[in-house]
Amino acid sequence: MDIDIAGLSMIAIPILLAVTLHEAAHGYVANHFGDPTAKNQGRLSLNPIKHIDPFGTILLPLVLFMLGGFIFGYAKPVPVNAGNLRNPRIDMVWVALAGPAANIFLALVGGFLILTLGIIPDAMIDWFSGMIGFMIFFNCLIAIFNMLPIPPLDGSRVLAGFLPAPLAYKFGQLDRFGLFIVIGFIFLLPMLLEGAGINFSLARVLIFDPALALAEFIAGIFGG
């Protein structure tokens, strides 16, 4: 099977940037609030190699790209020891928000790059504009997805910070099932509904469509 190297690089660069800055941001904010765990493990780095997950960062996006479907990816989670934070419940909210905030920042950087299209050589304009478009959309997608209040996503950490302590503890117990919940939410539920003749995707309504709208808004700010 032939692989479109240009198309693959068009998505690979934004994905690596998105997941690297997302995880590094968690680590930097955690370190700021008193937890040096990520720093001690060498994860306060913008080197993608430090954050790559072989499956989530490489294999999964590659397979989805080759299938021509919904492109998704993730990195190795940065370790955070909430017990080291000065004010664990509130500080953890800021740590969680740092990742999605980093992605929104990158989406805005992508929007700014629209302003440079006029100086890009004609031979590269299609690739560069495609890369920018994917950079904006993917970062919006990752930011919105991670803010879902589903353990272990960032949104669940934010929600837990505002729940009463006993309820937050019980909510945190769902972490062990988080991967299965996320997979079911994104992949299995739409397949089951489609098999039942129902053309409805909760993931599209809650993630894809809002990410597309946000990406179009950001691109529009910069004339895209």
Side-chain angles (χ1 to χ4, degrees):
M1 179 182 295
D2 294 334
I3 298 178
D4 181 359
I5 300 299
L8 184 59
S9 65
M10 188 188 299
I11 70 167
I13 293 173
I15 288 176
L16 285 175
L17 284 173
V19 300
T20 296
L21 193 61
H22 181 104
E23 294 301 334
H26 285 315
Y28 276 110
V29 174
N31 186 64
H32 173 76
F33 285 113
D35 176 31
T37 304
K39 180 180 180 180
N40 293 340
Q41 294 187 17
R43 298 293 301 278
L44 295 190
S45 172
L46 295 180
N47 179 357
I49 295 176
K50 298 285 187 178
H51 305 285
I52 284 176
D53 179 274
F55 177 78
T57 316
I58 300 175
L59 185 59
L60 179 60
L62 178 60
V63 170
L64 293 175
F65 171 77
M66 294 176 68
L67 292 176
F70 180 79
I71 298 175
F72 184 73
Y74 59 87
K76 290 187 298 185
V78 162
V80 177
N81 185 345
N84 290 333
L85 300 173
R86 290 186 285 272
N87 187 349
R89 282 173 61 80
I90 299 303
D91 291 350
M92 197 64 200
V93 170
W94 292 111
V95 172
L97 287 172
N103 291 124
I104 296 300
F105 169 75
L106 280 176
L108 290 169
V109 170
F112 178 78
L113 289 176
I114 292 174
L115 301 177
T116 70
L117 289 176
I119 62 173
I120 300 300
D122 291 342
M124 292 186 60
I125 191 68
D126 287 343
W127 179 90
F128 193 71
S129 60
M131 189 272 293
I132 290 174
F134 185 77
M135 177 179 178
I136 296 172
F137 171 71
F138 185 76
N139 278 284
C140 291
L141 182 75
I142 291 297
I144 290 174
F145 169 72
N146 274 282
M147 284 307 297
L148 292 175
I150 303 173
L153 301 180
D154 297 326
S156 72
R157 311 301 188 205
V158 175
L159 176 59
F162 295 99
L163 291 174
L167 188 56
Y169 174 78
K170 291 181 179 179
F171 184 58
Q173 298 304 300
L174 293 175
D175 274 13
R176 71 188 77 174
F177 308 110
L179 180 60
F180 300 103
I181 295 173
V182 171
I183 291 175
F185 178 74
I186 295 180
F187 298 107
L188 298 183
L189 181 59
M191 291 172 58
L192 291 173
L193 291 175
E194 184 177 351
I198 302 174
N199 185 22
F200 176 77
S201 171
L202 192 59
R204 175 172 290 276
V205 172
L206 294 181
I207 305 172
F208 186 87
D209 288 346
L212 185 59
L214 180 57
E216 290 175 347
F217 173 75
I218 290 175
I221 293 175
F222 295 92

